[in-house]
Amino acid sequence: MFKQIFSFELKLWLKKPATYIYFLVFFILSLFVTAALSGLIGTSGDSNVTVNSAKAIAENLNGLITDLIGIIILITIIAPAVYKDFQYNMHPLLFTNPISKFGYMFGRFTASFLVAMFVISGALFGHLIACAIPGIEAERLGAFDLMNYVQPFLYFAIPNVLLVGAIFFSVVTFSRNMISAYVGAIILLVLKGISPILLSDIENQDLSAMLDPFGDQAFANATKYWSAEEQNTLGIPMNGILLYNRLLWVGISLGISALTFYRFQFSQFNNPVSFAWFRKKKQEMKSIASVPLMSLSDLPKVKQIFTFKFSLYQIWFLAKFEYFKVIKTIFFAIIALLCVLVLTLVSPLSAQIYGTPTLLVTYQVLQISGVIFMLFAPILIVFYSGVVVWREKDSKVDELVGASPISTWTSFLSKLIGLTMMQMTLLVLIMVTGIFIQLYDGFYEIDVLLYLQDLFGYKLIGLILLCALSMSIQVIFNQKFVGYAISAILIVVLPILASSMGWNNGLYQFNSSGPRMVYSDMNGFGHQLFSFIVFKSYWVSFAMILIIFSNLMWIRGKEKGFKIRLRIAKNSFNRPAKLAMTLSILAFLLFGGFIYYNTNVLNKNISEKKQEQMQAEFEKKYKRLTKTPQPRIVAANWNVDIYPEDRGVKLNGYYFIKNKTTKAIDSLLVNLFPEINLISMDFDAAYNAKLSLDDKETGFRIYTLAKKLQPGDSMKVKMTLDYYPKGFKNSDAGTSIIYNGTFFNSMFFPSFGYSEGAELTSDSDRKKYGLGKKERMAAVNDSTALKNNYITSDSDWIDFECTLSTSKDQIAVAPGYLLKEWEQDGRKYFHYKMDCKILNFYSFLSARYEVK
């Protein structure tokens, strides 16, 4: 019987398009990952390790298997091997036939396991194709060795797929519920994510490696001392701790399979396995006494009310219904419990700095909880958006609800509010858990207002937008699992892909928040509120367009074709809907235009690719000037006026520069950040320097001297500069000059000579632009390099003096001893001077400090 069931199941899977789609998913993911690692896509950084070594392939393959997409696909293939018989009501027919338990269970499981292995093999083929693409650097690609692919497949793919398959096959077989498998997948991924943190303090690294079910830690321990040459040439060392890890977890997998086989009974499928402690015992139902039938004339007359006020009542009533239906599910309860558990376990460990515990202040707890919460929130939103939209259809009452006197927008908004209330419940849970953690840790200065601002201000708006997007996708596409896939791609996958590809424009990154600053007790949320409101208003307008269109496309009958639904939507597109759509589109364009003006007109939005090109062009144009003799800065004297309320600064002062070379200098090479506004740069009249080159894009200038600066001679260079940010940028919040806690350094001032720090550093990036490899370090006997210190190449030790001014309520600080402090015209002034020479690197600070 095993052979027949196995053969039937295998043929069935091979006929399904899903099998080949899953294969393509692994193929494409592996293709892109390998292309990124090899430098074909984006920037891979410099590495001496080849991408087709056994170690690299094992890490790539295991990563794809044990990530969210990989585990979900494995669950979809293996877990429902037995459950589908009950799903399609085939179990009474099968369970009353003379088939053996072994043949039935292991026939199904083995066929599904082999299909899963076929799907996983797509990752190996994707890797092979990526390595065959022309353009990979020779240093990143080793000689082809078949065993480099066979070993990772045997040692990691087969055991890990067996483990995942055995666990979730057992869970679904006995619970008869696919939701339990997805919950289990999330638990497994969470444990995988936090286990390195929880086990980091275990002194016995072998124990830590043995506890890793997927073998990552054991493999890392076995190869952590390998040189680059060993990583490129050696196979996987299947001995020691790695061998014991693999044997342990293969044994556990087989044990789970054996236990499942032992506990399985055909008769048990009258009812799924349940746990009495999760529910009350059912009480005996007593029949209700018959009541006399009433005539239709005896029924009370119903008064129909269609006022706006009553519609609001309907929305609130239905929203509460959706909310309680969601939070009472076991899936939500487990996710909420996981969120609390992970936050409780991780917070004390994440709050450490190099092993030293820090105070669990509120903003630190919020930072940790924000990372953890964003692991779970998208999962809940994507899953429950499908649940609430398809609730009536899944319950077979959609026609009844569609015929009821309830407006479409009432149904949509109530479901959206219900989803929002679910997210608010989780936020409250995080807040309570965070406060409990702080109290348990002995920290009592709890900032409840900050919890409310961060969780129910900044985070909640983004969560509502995600709910609106996911619900709209479900309505528009009208296919639950297609909606799940598209929502997951847009909410989870696309942001990761955009980040890796350097696509950072907030205009097309859904739910972007603009430039964000890390909260601090000194500066609070800083100056980000305005840009945050503008970006969120932009995406709220877009969400309103989706919501209006979704309401028009909402199905209230049996119309399934998109064209038919679109025709019905046109008839429903009345004056209020047209007005709302018009206002939403206008708001979307208005806020979008304002964002574009700030991020692309007032400021330059330079992508990573463009930045690479600019650096390459800079080197190609000016590298020839590397050995041009340049003077050295010997003294600096500055007047710095800081305006925290305007986030600006005015700078004027001078350098003394001296020719310490043996050659006369006829030109000065000057570097300055393009964002700094150079108002004037005056040289000694005797030299009459003229600007001969001004590269505004890079901030590089060349001044030609009418009279050469002879060896040993000095000159004074006076400068006036200022810096005031214009509008807001796409992602850089600008943290140098802020309301309270300004900190900027001498990088604001000009430097002399060709700047090698502006060159591309990655050899792979340099090769793409036709540049040679960059020297990692100057030779030990390089006399030119020995003239420079580790900070700057245009100065040695300098004399330093400065006068700072700032707002009346702040204190300004700079290097040196405070010689004088005074107030003038409503501002505070501070005069600092060093009593010895310092390196040409200094900082300026201003804040509302307290003096001790």
Side-chain angles (χ1 to χ4, degrees), residues 615-626:
Q615 288 179 268
E617 288 301 317
F618 176 83
E619 183 174 350
K620 290 176 180 179
K621 285 181 181 179
Y622 307 120
K623 181 69 173 179
R624 57 186 172 81
L625 302 172
T626 303

Side-chain angles (χ1 to χ4, degrees), residues 458-473:
Y458 288 101
K459 285 189 174 64
L460 183 59
I461 296 174
L463 293 172
I464 295 173
L465 289 172
L466 292 179
C467 291
L469 173 68
S470 195
M471 278 189 61
S472 299
I473 289 171

Side-chain angles (χ1 to χ4, degrees), residues 35-52:
L37 291 174
S38 61
L40 290 173
I41 300 176
T43 174
S44 63
D46 290 330
S47 175
N48 295 323
V49 180
T50 57
V51 295
N52 62 338

Side-chain angles (χ1 to χ4, degrees), residues 558-604:
K558 287 297 183 182
E559 302 82 6
K560 292 184 178 180
F562 187 82
K563 290 183 179 179
I564 298 175
R565 294 168 60 206
L566 199 59
R567 191 182 307 123
I568 296 172
K570 289 180 181 179
N571 296 330
S572 304
F573 197 36
N574 53 26
R575 182 177 295 178
K578 290 178 181 178
L579 178 61
M581 181 67 83
T582 302
L583 292 176
S584 298
I585 293 174
L586 288 175
F588 180 69
L589 295 176
L590 177 66
F591 286 113
F594 186 69
I595 292 171
Y596 181 85
Y597 175 71
N598 277 270
T599 58
N600 291 270
V601 179
L602 292 180
N603 298 281
K604 291 183 179 179

Side-chain angles (χ1 to χ4, degrees), residues 312-327:
L312 294 179
Y313 169 77
Q314 287 178 319
I315 291 173
W316 177 241
F317 180 86
L318 293 174
K320 288 191 295 182
F321 169 80
E322 295 289 351
Y323 167 70
F324 286 113
K325 290 290 285 186
V326 166
I327 66 168

Side-chain angles (χ1 to χ4, degrees), residues 420-460:
T420 302
M421 292 166 65
M422 173 195 70
Q423 296 298 318
M424 292 176 68
T425 302
L426 266 186
L427 293 175
V428 170
L429 202 58
I430 286 175
M431 177 177 171
V432 173
T433 305
I435 293 174
F436 171 79
I437 292 170
Q438 287 178 290
L439 294 174
Y440 182 80
D441 198 58
F443 185 81
Y444 303 107
E445 298 179 25
I446 296 167
D447 192 344
V448 177
L449 181 60
L450 179 57
Y451 273 111
L452 297 175
Q453 286 177 318
D454 185 79
L455 296 176
F456 298 95
Y458 288 101
K459 285 189 174 64
L460 183 59

Side-chain angles (χ1 to χ4, degrees), residues 3-20:
K3 180 181 178 181
Q4 289 81 356
I5 294 177
F6 169 79
S7 176
F8 173 81
E9 190 74 13
L10 189 61
K11 290 177 181 178
L12 187 64
W13 269 111
L14 293 177
K15 290 179 182 178
K16 289 183 178 180
T19 304
Y20 306 99

